[in-house]
Amino acid sequence: VTCPPTVTCPPPPTCPSNPTDSPGEVDECLTNNGGCSHTCTNIPGSHECSCDPTYELGSDQKTCVIPSSTSECGGILTSDTNGFTSLNYPRNYLPNMDCYWTINLNDPTKTIEFTFAS
């Protein structure tokens, strides 16, 4: 736009480099992680929740849950190496779950040491 010398032109409009920088855009993830139990990603006009590996988004699209195929805990653990971990390690199991494990030790000269993280 070219203005005559006696007229002041408004500055040209600028486009935001990031769509989330648009005027009036609110980053919903800044408040209570957008209600997401794991990861919140801000998108124009809204936000999306996503989950860490081994979890899936629940029906509320905010809460991450253990898929029904792995929601059962417990089983048989056998290791010929120096250790093993539970299925969901390092994530915790759901509250109030009762997990029962059978641990097979193939070498009777070895001992087992348990370490529980709080």
Side-chain angles (χ1 to χ4, degrees), residues 50-112:
S50 58
C51 302
D52 295 344
T54 73
Y55 285 75
E56 64 185 24
L57 209 52
S59 60
D60 65 359
Q61 298 299 298
K62 293 181 180 287
T63 306
C64 294
V65 297
I66 299 172
S68 58
S69 61
T70 59
S71 64
E72 298 296 323
C73 65
I76 299 172
L77 297 175
T78 303
S79 176
D80 292 324
T81 62
N82 290 331
F84 48 82
T85 59
S86 63
L87 291 174
N88 293 331
Y89 180 82
R91 282 282 191 196
N92 295 327
Y93 284 100
L94 297 174
N96 301 316
M97 288 185 79
D98 290 324
C99 301
Y100 298 94
W101 298 95
T102 299
I103 299 172
N104 291 330
L105 190 59
N106 292 333
D107 185 345
T109 64
K110 304 271 180 169
T111 59
I112 298 175

Side-chain angles (χ1 to χ4, degrees), residues 4-69:
T6 57
V7 177
T8 304
C9 290
T14 58
C15 294
S17 58
N18 181 345
T20 61
D21 294 337
S22 300
E25 173 61 26
V26 175
D27 186 347
E28 296 87 355
C29 297
L30 294 177
T31 304
N32 194 29
N33 199 38
C36 303
S37 63
H38 285 190
T39 304
C40 181
T41 303
N42 191 46
I43 59 173
S46 188
H47 69 289
E48 291 179 344
C49 298
S50 58
C51 302
D52 295 344
T54 73
Y55 285 75
E56 64 185 24
L57 209 52
S59 60
D60 65 359
Q61 298 299 298
K62 293 181 180 287
T63 306
C64 294
V65 297
I66 299 172
S68 58
S69 61

